Amino acid sequence: MGLEVALWRAVAFYRVASLLYAAALIAMNFDGYAHPLGGWAVLAVMALWTLYATFAFSDPRRRGRPLLVADLAVASGCVLATAWVESAANIAAGRPTLPVAWVAAAVLSWAVEGGGKRAGVAASLVIGVANVLVHVIAGMPGSVGSRTFNGIVLLFLAGLVVGHVVKLAMDAEARLARAVELEAATRERERLARRIHDSVLQVLAMVRRRGAEMGGEAAELARLAGEQEAALRSLIGAGPPAAPRRAGGPADEVDLRTLLDRHGSPSVTVSTPATPVPLAEPAAREVEAAVAAALDNVHRHCPRGTRAWVLLEDDGDGRITVSVRDDGPGMPRDRLAEAAADGRLGVAQSIRGRVRDLGGTVTVDSAPGRGTEIEMTVPLTGGHR
């Protein structure tokens, strides 16, 4: 049974218990009413609404604003009916309203479903105004005494405290569900890692060793197997995705380090800060894609054995910088412009375009004989965030 179900069962129990208390008071006091039959009529309305509300609030599909407004309207109407049923003398003497504590159920419903303490306080104020109007309608506005005032204060505190506690409980349940989900994901990752280690990784390691011993074309196969082995070990060794930092925000934030670490291999060294580098998930995916495009250029256009380095920096100034550097042959400074003019837009679209859409900048530093460095700077508040 979830927390929400338990809360609504508690509200339903309170409705029934407070209805029985109100029925007992009406039975004891009906001889002194100005309209005794009116007291029984109000009790009948309360009983019917208790049955309907208990049924309606048990279904999450019906717990909308219309039902909450109707609940508050019925409670207020029963309070106002006191001005017609009770005698003016009893109202002036401070006798409680006909529904007494039964009306607090509407306040509790607003506190549970309506959004926390603000909704609970608003509902209590409506009931409080109805209590004061009873004296005004009876023609005795000056008879509002300490009993009426104390009842209003208790309703206000109930809406405030219950709403606040419910909000804390719901947040705690959401965090617990997230923790259980992460634990399950971690266990599944560990299970898969064990199975992969016992099969795929061992095969890749054997291919890498045997290929290196055989040489020739097998050496190239060994190199590829080694890269895939390293990438796979990095993937299964990474933890679960970073949890969102702002629940309900425009986008979840993930640790950019986790995404970039997956590109590490024997020929690619990835260096990241020791602390998390949170970035909105859509922006983080675009940065990773730009890095992947830069590394793909190294593999396609540089000689075999070319090494690459990926460096992630977060200086705490609202920007992150990712640089991809290689020790390849480099290229002339006008090479990219010529490629763009010829319609080859790999760097222009895969790297510059992605970073530009995020509000960042790209700098390419290269010359024949000294490799290439691509530096991407992205604001933490730009682009998709």
Side-chain angles (χ1 to χ4, degrees):
M1 181 176 64
L3 174 62
E4 191 174 10
V5 174
L7 288 172
W8 284 113
R9 288 187 178 180
V11 173
F13 176 80
Y14 178 85
R15 284 185 191 274
V16 175
S18 58
L19 175 67
L20 296 177
Y21 176 63
L25 288 184
I26 290 175
M28 291 172 55
N29 299 327
F30 83 99
D31 287 337
Y33 292 155
H35 299 88
L37 293 180
W40 295 115
V42 172
L43 180 60
V45 171
M46 293 166 56
L48 291 174
W49 183 254
T50 297
L51 291 175
Y52 175 75
T54 300
F55 164 76
F57 280 112
S58 64
D59 187 351
R61 295 172 296 180
R62 296 189 178 91
R63 295 181 203 145
R65 189 55 55 92
L67 181 59
L68 291 173
V69 172
D71 193 19
L72 191 59
V74 172
S76 300
C78 291
V79 172
L80 293 175
T82 304
W84 172 67
V85 175
E86 271 282 16
S87 64
N90 288 335
I91 293 176
R95 181 177 284 186
T97 58
L98 293 176
V100 282
W102 182 81
V103 296
V107 176
L108 297 178
S109 297
W110 275 77
V112 173
E113 182 67 21
K117 58 185 178 182
R118 292 184 180 179
V121 168
S124 67
L125 291 177
V126 173
I127 301 297
V129 170
N131 275 273
V132 174
L133 287 177
V134 168
H135 295 263
V136 176
I137 295 172
M140 296 181 179
S143 65
V144 179
S146 59
R147 292 184 180 180
T148 302
F149 180 75
N150 289 340
I152 294 174
V153 171
L154 289 176
L155 278 176
F156 176 83
L157 292 177
L160 178 66
V161 174
V162 172
H164 182 64
V165 171
V166 167
K167 181 64 167 57
L168 293 177
M170 291 296 187
D171 290 344
E173 185 179 43
R175 288 194 295 268
L176 177 60
R178 176 60 178 168
V180 171
E181 178 185 347
L182 290 177
E183 182 181 3
T186 300
R187 289 182 178 177
E188 179 65 11
R189 181 182 294 273
E190 292 175 351
R191 185 186 68 83
L192 291 175
R194 290 193 297 268
R195 296 190 63 178
I196 291 174
H197 182 271
D198 293 340
S199 56
V200 180
L201 287 177
Q202 291 183 358
V203 171
L204 289 174
M206 182 184 67
V207 172
R208 176 174 54 82
R209 290 194 303 268
R210 296 288 179 85
E213 294 172 357
M214 294 173 62
E217 293 184 358
E220 174 63 14
L221 181 61
R223 183 186 68 82
L224 294 175
E227 291 181 356
Q228 295 304 311
E229 179 190 3
L232 188 55
R233 288 185 184 276
S234 176
L235 179 62
I236 66 176
R245 295 203 307 173
R246 293 193 303 271
D252 292 346
E253 291 183 343
V254 298
D255 189 353
L256 183 58
R257 302 178 307 167
T258 303
L259 300 180
L260 298 185
D261 283 341
R262 298 173 181 174
H263 296 281
S265 69
S267 61
V268 178
T269 301
V270 179
S271 301
T272 59
T275 56
V277 181
L279 190 65
E281 184 172 2
R285 298 293 181 187
E286 289 294 281
V287 172
E288 181 199 14
V291 170
L295 293 175
D296 183 61
N297 283 336
V298 175
H299 294 319
R300 286 194 299 164
H301 301 298
C302 295
R304 183 184 306 174
T306 300
R307 291 191 54 81
W309 293 265
V310 178
L311 175 62
L312 171 62
E313 298 176 279
D314 181 6
D315 297 330
D317 57 354
R319 300 178 301 171
I320 57 104
T321 301
V322 182
S323 60
V324 180
R325 179 174 59 87
D326 65 66
D327 60 358
M331 58 184 176
R333 294 187 181 277
D334 57 353
R335 175 73 173 273
L336 294 179
E338 293 177 356
D342 293 340
R344 291 178 281 116
L345 303 176
V347 173
Q349 295 296 335
S350 299
I351 301 177
R352 291 188 188 275
R354 282 190 169 97
V355 176
R356 182 181 62 248
D357 290 344
L358 298 175
T361 58
V362 175
T363 302
V364 179
D365 183 15
S366 181
R370 63 179 183 86
T372 301
E373 181 175 6
I374 300 177
E375 184 176 277
M376 295 167 276
T377 301
V378 176
L380 293 175
T381 57
H384 298 281
R385 293 190 67 184

